[in-house]
Amino acid sequence: MVSYATVAYADGFLGTLLGTDAWSSASAADKERALAAATLAIDALEFVGGGFLGRRTDPAQERAFPRAPGIDIPAAVQQACALEAAALLEDSIDPAAKRRTRDIRQGVTAVSVGGVSESYATQTAGGVGGRPLSDPALSLLRPWRIAKGVYPIR
């Protein structure tokens, strides 16, 4: 599967950021799988909440990007893919993150244990296996998103 970012690109980009230890310690095969999953999650946004601005450059292309009038995958989309892949890897090794992902997928909105509670915002912004995309990835994709019920004036 062709991903929006290569392992080499993601290594270079994520190597400049804090909080990407799970990415740094992952095998090349796990990085490839994480990038593939992140690409699928980004593509899923095309069918949620209004989709993406523009149209696919080629109607037969497999991925949502590139989008006309451009011919390249924007750097922000590559960065979002890398950030989402890193978040997926982090979630895969963090037991608390695994629990949160399971709870969100099952529709849990709040959890309390003793005097500590945690609540989850309802998010329908796409994701893989019920897991919403990470906030940094969604923020980078915002310029290409169409808000549901809002249409650009041309």
Side-chain angles (χ1 to χ4, degrees):
M1 176 180 147
V2 177
S3 299
Y4 289 127
T6 64
V7 170
Y9 178 90
D11 280 342
F13 174 67
L14 295 170
T16 66
L17 304 176
L18 287 173
T20 59
D21 294 337
W23 176 267
S24 300
S25 62
S27 69
D30 283 346
K31 289 177 180 182
E32 288 282 356
R33 289 199 310 266
L35 288 168
T39 296
L40 288 173
I42 291 169
D43 282 352
L45 294 175
E46 188 172 23
F47 307 104
V48 177
F52 291 119
L53 293 170
R55 59 179 166 67
R56 292 175 180 223
T57 303
D58 177 354
Q61 75 189 41
E62 183 180 351
R63 306 267 66 94
F65 287 90
R67 302 201 65 86
I71 57 169
D72 296 320
I73 296 170
V77 173
Q78 294 176 49
Q79 292 169 355
C81 184
L83 287 167
E84 183 62 15
L88 287 166
L89 286 170
E90 186 65 40
D91 284 0
S92 74
I93 62 171
D94 180 357
K98 283 182 182 180
R99 180 187 51 78
R100 283 185 196 97
T101 299
R102 183 199 65 224
D103 290 349
I104 291 168
R105 188 174 30 239
Q106 294 175 349
V108 174
T109 58
V111 174
S112 295
V113 177
V116 178
S117 64
E118 184 173 79
S119 60
Y120 312 119
T122 304
Q123 198 170 28
T124 58
V128 174
R131 178 193 173 280
L133 262 68
S134 61
D135 289 338
L138 279 174
S139 295
L140 285 168
L141 295 170
R142 190 164 287 128
W144 289 274
R145 301 277 293 133
I146 297 174
K148 190 172 188 177
V150 177
Y151 302 93
I153 300 173
R154 299 194 198 266

